[in-house]
Amino acid sequence: MPANTTAASTKKKGRRARLLVLALVLALVAGVGYGAYWSVSTVRAPFPQTTGTLKLDGLSGPVDVKRDDYGVPQIYASTDEDLFRAQGYVQAQDRFWEMDVRRHMTAGRLSEMFGKEQVETDAFLRTLGWHRVAQEEYDKLLSPETKKNLQAYADGVNAYLKGKEGRDVSVEYAALAFSNDYAIEPWTPVDSVAWLKAMAWDLRGNMQEEIDRSLMTTRLSEKQIKDLYPAYPYDLHRPIVDKGGVDKAAGKFDPSAEGGSQDGDSGSGQGTGTGQGQGQDSGQGQGQGLGTGQGSGTAQGATQGLQSQLSALSASLEKIPALLGPNGNGIGSNSWVVSGKYTTTGKPLLANDPHLAPQLPSLWYQMGLHCRSVSDKCRYDVAGYTFAGMPGVIIGHNQDIAWGFTNLGADVSDLYLEKITDRGYQYDGKELPFVTRDEVIKIAGAKSRTITVRSTNNGPLVSDRSNELEKVGDEAPVDALAPDRGDGYAVALRWTALDPGKSMDAVFKLNRATDFKQFREAARDFEVPSQNLIYADAKGAQGNIGYQAPGRIPIRQKGHDGTMPAPGWDKKYTWKKTYVPFEELPYEENPERGYIVTANQAVIDSGKYPYLLTEDWGYGSRSQRINDLIESKTKDGAKVSTEDMRTMQMDNSSEIAKLLTPYLLKIDISDPHVREAQKLLEGWDYTQDADSGAAAYFNGVWRNVLRLSFGNKLPKEVRVKGECLNVRSADLTGPVDEQDRLVRECGQRDAETAQPDGGDRWYEVVRRILKDEKNEWWKSPRSRTHDGTDTRDELLKRAMEDARWELTSKLGKDVNSWSWGRLHQLTLKNQTLGTDGPGAIQWLLNRGPWNLSGGEAAVNATGWNAAGGYGALWVPSMRMVVNVGDWDKSRWINLTGASGHAYNAHYTDQTDKWAKGELLDWAYGKQAVDARTVDTLVLMP
């Protein structure tokens, strides 16, 4: 960028920032918020110093911090300790409020900041014990080098905090000061390690599906639940690794094998299913379901009848701040890498865009960590996306390799029913004592509260944290093999992240890796959360590409597939003591096809792999679309460019629209207003651009198809909160015609996690029944304004009518004015005070809305929940395209900006470009960094 352009841009941003600060102060002085207590200096005080010289205790030499026009820092130091000390200092300058809230969350100490409203959340988090496990990792497992880096980072954070009051650190502390006397504590290395537990929690796998399947047994039979959780469509959507198998004799995965054989002792865990059921279809009552399952097996029988208790657990889970996004089908990522054989550069190109909750500031913090000279005393030259609060780079590249992450989705958690007394719990015919500990929860403005955490051999009793869960399973129908229910069953959580591990070691090893062998060795320590790791380097004529599935993945015994809560008293359901060996986890290097795609699809065909990784993969819509885009680009000898990779990231095509629209166009519509809307679909190319009226109408139809065919038949515990239906009473078994025999039931689930969410699992559900015109799922009861439906076309017609009137109310009568972006909007909310603070503070701290393209299960995955509405709930939280070897031609973008300070110029200065699908130049080499530097700060000993 020319110098004069840079200067003009900087002046424009500075002018905009001054105007925003003035607006904030005027609003506050006018009585919005806290009025005269605030001033211009209050707002500006926390802004970081980015030029000149500062002293930083503990440095062995000067450190340069060079920021570009977007405030992205590149740090240059001469030792590892100086590098990470400076990283801590700089991240605290920009993001300490975010860091402080996050560490209080991971430690179960939110009540100390925000008062008694957070006590239940803290109690649940203390029960899980994230911070305790992080402390154990730090004390016993992490390498001396990792500990040294963590301490240096903490020292840098504390050097920034030294001598500052809260109002000097972030404007949010100025607001917080009016409600309590909270004081900032020093940062510790364990605060950084605990962040990985929060990351693991949001990527924990199928716990919500496990709960939901159990809840569905009140209204659906085994067969109907299986309809809603179909098997992965391997014939349609290619897994990540399409060859390879475990060589049991050698004890390792062989990526060239055509397929491994199942091993009877390997814990393949071919399912317990969802319980036996004989449904009685009365056809009466909206939302009554198609039948009621009656449990008979030990595991399934014990889980049925727990609906209210499991619903309470689900509600407890929703209260935990989801740092990465609503857990479930939407949370994921795209990453792919193309060999130099098929690129315009002759070296690999690597793309990554994690799909996470939209946050302000973004979860990611862009940064470069550079040793002036890479040597034994200073071993890092790495750049990419970091987490504020944790040293090192999570996703990015160094001078030799590039890497990306997506969520593998392994099933690493199970819920267990526990038969308990005041003395202990039953296991294998014996009563064992609980392991207990007391936790004191300090509460701002109130007396402290002490809770007792009880644990079994399957983990902590999460049921202790809910009044509704105190007497679990009072009505659970169980067979003669189950213990007497007495006061009911408790619920315990077994989860790999509650055992200490070495994932923090993996971060630093990954940052230093120089080839695929070292990359895999780093992955060996990346135990929690389990991620798909892709790889590229520039060595040789065309470079190398690779993939590794790491993680601590449990081996379950036969008969236990992790899809439903299991009986904790039965040793047949206890995890084996060993995990899937790292050497036997799938990987590949330079596959013949010339590219690797990971987008939360199945890792490998379950018929070709001896271990159960999960029964709840993403269903592969995004991954297959990416596969198809790469193949269509390269099939005629064309090459993939950096720009091609960017346009693939912005692909808005809808797989369900391609499948369903031809059926919608065949429906005979007589109502002229509905026909107007139907015409929007004629000639539509199935792309969900923000200005597309067709995309708006189709997604409205899809939402209503799901509601009529599935949503209204689900139990209240999984339906969206506040939506009420007349349903048949669950205790009635015979035919019922009288309207007064129906009961009013209202949904209980948060809109972000309610069902049916409309993700690609539901694509597969509908695909399987679409040609069956009289399938039972197409039946829906009559309402005050509509006749009931018996066939597919009747239901589709009604959905088209309902969508027309829903969108009329939201977008207006004229269909030509409709656009998807007006429905599908993103509002960025400042964490904590931007979501739960006073309305005026939310208005001052939040930004948006932006009209978005893309959609659920599109490559441009701006996800939304069809049960709850059309707003964006998870988004590509960043995007990058790495030009491997020619690093300075790589490109990147963040969702928001570098700064966490609400009226800083870099608060959301990347968001407009992000929404348009644009990328920024990513400088890495010193010459390129210097050319883009606008501010230089020198940290001195």
Side-chain angles (χ1 to χ4, degrees):
M1 180 181 291
N4 58 343
T5 305
T6 301
S9 176
T10 302
K11 288 179 181 178
K12 187 181 294 184
K13 287 181 180 179
R15 192 180 310 119
R16 186 186 308 122
R18 287 193 295 274
L19 291 173
L20 290 171
V21 168
L22 180 61
L24 171 64
V25 173
L26 289 174
L28 291 169
V29 171
V32 179
Y34 294 106
Y37 294 102
W38 284 27
S39 65
V40 171
S41 61
T42 303
V43 177
R44 287 180 171 168
F47 288 7
Q49 179 178 338
T50 58
T51 60
T53 302
L54 282 172
K55 287 190 175 182
L56 178 54
D57 291 343
L59 292 178
S60 63
V63 175
D64 297 328
V65 182
K66 301 181 179 184
R67 295 178 184 259
D68 67 11
D69 191 38
Y70 286 87
V72 175
Q74 305 278 347
I75 299 176
Y76 291 84
S78 298
T79 69
D80 290 347
E81 292 92 331
D82 286 357
L83 192 64
F84 294 117
R85 183 173 280 105
Q87 183 183 15
Y89 187 93
V90 170
Q91 288 189 338
Q93 280 187 305
D94 281 331
R95 297 283 192 95
F96 186 77
W97 168 261
E98 170 195 359
M99 293 163 59
D100 199 18
V101 171
R102 181 181 297 152
R103 70 160 163 180
H104 277 78
M105 193 275 282
T106 58
R109 297 175 57 198
L110 289 170
S111 300
E112 296 177 25
M113 297 183 77
F114 304 111
K116 61 185 179 181
E117 291 80 8
Q118 299 298 324
V119 169
E120 288 186 22
T121 298
D122 282 347
F124 195 92
L125 292 166
R126 293 287 186 94
T127 299
L128 297 180
W130 293 351
H131 200 269
R132 294 178 67 257
V133 178
Q135 183 72 59
E136 193 173 349
E137 289 182 3
Y138 183 79
D139 291 342
K140 299 179 180 179
L141 294 180
L142 297 181
S143 71
E145 179 185 341
T146 295
K147 291 183 180 181
K148 182 173 66 176
N149 294 342
L150 286 164
Q151 187 62 59
Y153 180 90
D155 290 344
V157 174
N158 293 328
Y160 168 74
L161 295 174
K162 186 176 181 181
K164 291 183 173 66
E165 297 183 17
R167 64 188 179 187
D168 302 320
V169 175
S170 183
V171 73
E172 287 90 342
Y173 289 110
L176 201 65
F178 289 92
S179 59
N180 65 54
D181 56 357
Y182 174 78
I184 298 173
E185 296 178 357
W187 192 264
T188 73
V190 178
D191 293 333
S192 296
V193 178
W195 158 243
L196 286 172
K197 301 303 173 185
M199 182 180 176
W201 176 255
D202 285 345
L203 301 174
R204 63 192 178 274
N206 75 337
M207 186 188 300
Q208 193 64 59
E209 287 85 351
E210 196 172 328
I211 293 171
D212 287 354
R213 275 187 286 255
S214 297
L215 295 173
M216 288 179 186
T217 60
T218 54
R219 298 209 173 271
L220 302 178
S221 70
E222 176 188 22
K223 177 185 179 302
Q224 288 137 13
I225 296 174
K226 285 184 175 180
D227 285 347
L228 303 186
Y229 290 88
Y232 185 87
Y234 291 101
D235 57 331
L236 295 177
H237 298 157
R238 181 187 304 160
I240 298 171
V241 176
D242 54 11
K243 293 177 65 175
V246 174
D247 182 341
K248 297 301 289 185
K252 65 180 182 180
F253 186 84
D254 180 358
S256 64
E258 288 301 320
S261 60
Q262 294 286 343
D263 183 333
D265 295 325
S266 64
S268 58
Q270 295 306 311
T272 52
T274 54
Q276 302 300 315
Q278 299 296 323
Q280 291 186 337
D281 181 11
S282 72
Q284 301 297 323
Q286 184 160 324
Q288 70 196 44
L290 302 177
T292 303
Q294 302 297 323
S296 60
T298 300
Q300 281 65 52
T303 63
Q304 295 184 49
L306 300 175
Q307 283 69 27
S308 63
Q309 294 85 355
L310 289 173
S311 179
L313 174 57
S314 182
S316 295
L317 301 183
E318 287 178 1
K319 293 177 183 177
I320 299 177
L323 293 183
L324 306 184
N327 185 266
N329 192 51
I331 195 167
S333 303
N334 298 324
S335 70
W336 66 94
V337 59
V338 182
S339 166
K341 178 180 179 181
Y342 295 111
T343 67
T344 58
T345 65
K347 299 292 184 181
L349 295 173
L350 185 150
N352 197 186
D353 55 285
H355 309 151
L356 306 172
Q359 299 183 33
L360 184 57
S362 166
L363 183 77
W364 300 107
Y365 184 89
Q366 296 153 292
M367 181 175 255
L369 301 172
H370 307 278
C371 290
R372 292 191 178 95
S373 176
V374 176
S375 64
D376 288 342
K377 71 174 183 177
C378 197
R379 297 189 287 168
Y380 297 87
D381 189 7
V382 60
Y385 294 88
T386 72
F387 291 138
M390 201 172 92
V393 169
I394 304 301
I395 294 174
H397 70 83
N398 59 27
Q399 68 272 36
D400 295 299
I401 73 167
W403 66 91
F405 283 8
T406 64
N407 191 24
L408 192 149
D411 184 0
V412 296
S413 64
D414 279 335
L415 295 173
Y416 284 89
L417 306 180
E418 303 284 3
K419 171 57 183 172
I420 67 170
T421 68
D422 291 340
R423 301 177 302 277
Y425 62 98
Q426 191 170 128
Y427 178 72
D428 195 24
K430 302 175 183 177
E431 186 171 270
L432 304 179
F434 295 116
V435 175
T436 63
R437 69 177 189 275
D438 288 337
E439 296 275 354
V440 179
I441 299 174
K442 297 180 181 179
I443 307 168
K447 288 181 62 178
S448 297
R449 174 182 165 187
T450 300
I451 64 169
T452 299
V453 177
R454 301 185 294 175
S455 295
T456 73
N457 61 336
N458 291 313
L461 291 181
V462 291
S463 54
D464 282 353
R465 301 284 76 86
S466 167
N467 291 333
E468 291 184 56
L469 282 166
E470 287 180 357
K471 294 185 177 181
V472 179
D474 287 349
E475 305 300 327
V478 294
D479 65 17
L481 297 177
D484 177 74
R485 68 170 57 90
D487 290 332
Y489 302 124
V491 180
L493 171 64
R494 182 80 169 97
W495 179 36
T496 57
L498 299 185
D499 297 326
K502 298 190 293 183
S503 294
M504 198 69 234
D505 282 346
V507 172
F508 295 111
K509 288 183 179 180
L510 196 58
N511 284 200
R512 299 193 308 267
T514 62
D515 56 28
F516 190 58
K517 180 179 179 181
Q518 292 183 15
F519 170 81
R520 292 192 67 210
E521 280 302 306
R524 179 188 297 274
D525 288 338
F526 209 99
E527 299 166 324
V528 175
S530 183
Q531 298 286 284
N532 296 306
L533 271 63
I534 61 168
Y535 166 94
D537 67 41
K539 296 177 173 61
Q542 297 174 328
N544 300 286
I545 64 174
Y547 163 80
Q548 177 68 56
R552 183 189 293 153
I553 301 173
I555 301 177
R556 295 173 177 84
Q557 302 188 65
K558 278 192 170 182
H560 178 30
D561 64 3
T563 61
M564 295 280 275
W569 54 83
D570 191 337
K571 66 180 181 180
K572 292 184 298 185
Y573 294 89
T574 305
W575 288 0
K576 293 189 175 183
K577 293 183 179 180
T578 58
Y579 297 96
V580 178
F582 177 79
E583 291 79 5
E584 298 183 21
L585 287 169
Y587 80 95
E588 59 184 359
E589 184 178 14
N590 294 325
E592 185 177 345
R593 63 182 175 277
Y595 59 89
I596 301 168
V597 175
T598 85
N600 318 117
Q601 78 272 40
V603 171
I604 190 169
D605 191 326
S606 60
K608 299 179 179 179
Y609 192 67
Y611 297 105
L612 174 68
L613 299 179
T614 185
E615 294 283 6
D616 290 298
W617 300 112
Y619 279 74
S621 292
R622 284 180 286 110
S623 61
Q624 192 57 46
R625 177 62 177 170
I626 297 166
N627 276 310
D628 292 344
L629 289 170
I630 296 171
E631 289 180 359
S632 66
K633 181 69 179 180
T634 59
K635 68 179 180 180
D636 296 323
K639 303 285 188 178
V640 177
S641 67
T642 303
E643 178 62 12
D644 290 330
M645 300 284 275
R646 185 197 69 81
T647 58
M648 289 179 193
Q649 287 180 324
M650 296 305 298
D651 183 81
N652 295 319
S653 180
S654 168
E655 180 180 297
I656 191 60
K658 292 177 186 176
L659 183 67
L660 197 55
T661 299
Y663 290 87
L664 300 177
L665 290 174
K666 291 178 182 179
I667 302 295
D668 185 15
I669 300 293
S670 57
D671 186 316
H673 297 290
V674 180
R675 174 65 183 138
E676 278 183 325
Q678 185 187 37
K679 285 182 178 179
L680 292 174
L681 302 178
E682 295 176 356
W684 180 42
D685 63 358
Y686 314 122
T687 59
Q688 301 170 96
D689 295 329
D691 60 0
S692 171
Y697 182 57
F698 174 80
N699 283 317
V701 174
W702 173 236
R703 168 171 149 84
N704 281 279
V705 166
L706 291 168
R707 176 180 60 84
L708 292 167
S709 53
F710 307 106
N712 289 350
K713 299 173 179 122
L714 298 178
K716 63 182 182 296
E717 291 87 358
V718 302
R719 296 201 316 268
V720 69
K721 190 179 298 181
E723 291 189 0
C724 302
L725 301 169
N726 292 323
V727 302
R728 185 185 185 193
S729 178
D731 60 0
L732 295 176
T733 58
V736 176
D737 294 321
E738 301 88 345
Q739 190 69 21
D740 61 358
R741 300 288 294 277
L742 302 179
V743 296
R744 191 74 166 163
E745 282 190 354
C746 298
Q748 299 177 349
R749 182 67 62 82
D750 185 272
E752 294 186 351
T753 56
Q755 293 295 330
D757 61 21
D760 62 357
R761 171 165 67 88
W762 294 98
Y763 295 7
E764 182 63 11
V765 169
V766 170
R767 183 185 72 82
R768 292 184 179 218
I769 66 171
L770 196 52
K771 293 182 180 180
D772 183 1
E773 298 181 43
K774 296 184 179 181
N775 189 282
E776 291 290 306
W777 290 108
W778 300 124
K779 293 184 178 182
S780 66
R782 65 181 179 273
S783 68
R784 293 189 182 93
T785 56
H786 290 85
D787 292 332
T789 66
D790 292 308
T791 68
R792 176 197 66 206
D793 289 353
E794 289 174 355
L795 187 139
L796 294 181
K797 181 178 181 180
R798 180 173 168 185
M800 294 172 74
E801 294 168 351
D802 290 354
R804 194 340 172 173
W805 305 122
E806 181 188 2
L807 267 63
T808 297
S809 69
K810 295 179 182 295
L811 301 178
K813 185 176 180 180
D814 182 5
V815 299
N816 294 314
S817 70
W818 290 359
S819 69
W820 174 227
R822 287 174 59 203
L823 276 179
H824 188 50
Q825 293 186 324
L826 167 68
T827 297
L828 292 171
K829 295 186 177 183
N830 182 280
Q831 294 303 290
T832 62
L833 295 184
T835 55
D836 295 321
I841 296 296
Q842 292 189 39
W843 179 78
L844 293 164
L845 298 181
N846 298 343
R847 299 291 181 269
W850 284 265
N851 295 348
L852 297 187
S853 300
E856 183 67 29
V859 179
N860 183 20
T862 55
W864 54 288
N865 186 311
Y870 300 97
L873 299 178
W874 40 80
V875 297
S877 55
M878 61 80 158
R879 299 186 185 99
M880 74 176 192
V881 177
V882 182
N883 195 315
V884 177
D886 198 354
W887 307 110
D888 291 326
K889 292 183 179 178
S890 301
R891 312 203 73 204
W892 62 354
I893 196 79
N894 204 352
L895 172 63
T896 61
S899 180
H901 300 295
Y903 288 87
N904 187 278
H906 304 304
Y907 191 47
T908 57
D909 59 341
Q910 298 186 47
T911 309
D912 285 345
K913 290 182 179 294
W914 172 92
K916 296 173 185 176
E918 298 177 16
L919 298 175
L920 302 174
D921 292 337
W922 178 355
Y924 172 73
K926 189 174 185 306
Q927 185 175 354
V929 169
D930 287 346
R932 297 191 61 83
T933 296
V934 297
D935 287 335
T936 300
L937 173 68
V938 180
L939 301 174
M940 298 295 293

